[in-house]
Amino acid sequence: NYRCRSAFKLIEIDDKYRLLKPGLSVIDCGAAPGAWSQVAVQRVNSTAESADLPKGSVVGIDLLRIAPLDGAQFLSNHDITAPLTHMALERLLPEARADVILSDMAPNASGLRELDHERLVTMCLSALDLADKVLRPGGSLICKYWDGALAHKLQQRLSSMFQDVRTVKPRASRKESAELFFLARMFKMR
Ligand code: SAM
């Protein structure tokens, strides 16, 4: 039972690309109400439900409050762009490092397509700044974006940091017509 239907987008992407494995450490940016974190908890085994598999960890961050979830640690009322959030994150992450960064962040839509696109690209860039600080070499990132003029620039930035970058459109997000995800794998050594 997921907190939000958005869970099915992550399930669909991860069923295909298998980023979330038992033992991995995940950051979920824009985690409220917590559906993606629920999926991540199951797949990285952060409740140690499968006693014979490695135990992972999940840290979710959101400006809003996120109700507690077994197997996840949440930074509610935290902005992912704030330096204080980065400090809190590094304390919560094992060895201050993550294997996977998820971002389903979105701004409150203004209805102005170009403006919303630009704001969401800026949020993706914040997730990339976070990757620069904490992502392990070989790690991966999934970030939501709305298509538009800056998508190509964002993709170039991703390609400079990751070996494999592609756009994915899960069937579960068919309704939200402009919504796409970048899937970036094999984070390069700094
Ligand atoms: N993936 C979530 C789930 O499955 O439950 C849904 C995420 S919802 C589409 C987008 C979230 O991004 C909102 O809860 C919003 O508060 C959050 N958000 C937007 N800007 C943020 C920021 N700067 N820092 C942290 N969270 C942010």
Side-chain angles (χ1 to χ4, degrees):
N1 219 328
Y2 295 108
R3 293 177 180 184
C4 177
R5 293 196 51 80
S6 54
F8 298 104
K9 300 176 202 169
L10 180 60
I11 288 172
E12 207 178 313
I13 296 171
D14 194 57
D15 279 349
K16 182 154 182 203
Y17 295 100
R18 306 264 166 215
L19 303 174
L20 301 170
K21 300 191 187 87
L24 296 187
S25 159
V26 178
I27 303 174
D28 183 8
C29 303
W36 277 32
S37 289
Q38 289 178 292
V39 175
V41 162
Q42 291 167 348
R43 297 194 171 199
V44 305
N45 191 38
S46 60
T47 54
E49 190 174 85
S50 309
D52 49 333
L53 295 174
K55 179 177 183 283
S57 68
V58 176
V59 181
I61 308 162
D62 206 289
L63 294 171
L64 305 177
R65 186 174 172 276
I66 319 165
L69 171 69
D70 222 24
Q73 296 172 289
F74 288 136
L75 295 170
S76 291
N77 310 116
H78 277 68
D79 184 331
I80 84 134
T81 62
L84 269 173
T85 303
H86 292 193
M87 288 165 65
L89 242 185
E90 289 182 20
R91 273 199 307 276
L92 292 178
L93 293 168
E95 295 159 24
R97 288 283 174 273
D99 302 292
V100 181
I101 296 179
L102 306 173
S103 172
D104 191 29
M105 286 192 290
N108 288 325
S110 69
L112 301 172
R113 202 187 151 123
E114 265 317 287
L115 178 63
D116 287 338
H117 159 71
E118 283 169 25
R119 286 158 126 189
L120 187 47
V121 167
T122 304
M123 296 172 99
C124 292
L125 293 173
S126 311
L128 279 181
D129 285 343
L130 194 61
D132 239 343
K133 294 201 168 89
V134 301
L135 196 60
R136 285 209 173 87
S140 46
L141 174 140
I142 296 175
C143 65
K144 173 161 83 182
Y145 71 102
W146 292 322
D147 208 6
L150 302 177
H152 186 63
K153 272 237 156 75
L154 176 59
Q155 178 154 19
Q156 282 178 331
R157 174 88 203 283
L158 282 162
S159 295
S160 73
M161 296 169 66
F162 294 84
Q163 268 169 40
D164 184 272
V165 178
R166 62 186 68 203
T167 290
V168 295
K169 171 94 182 153
R171 272 178 301 126
S173 76
R174 204 171 29 190
K175 287 185 302 161
E176 288 125 292
S177 54
E179 177 184 273
L180 295 164
F181 294 84
F182 275 123
L183 168 61
R185 292 181 292 180
M186 295 303 292
F187 186 58
K188 297 176 192 171
M189 291 277 254
R190 271 147 286 201

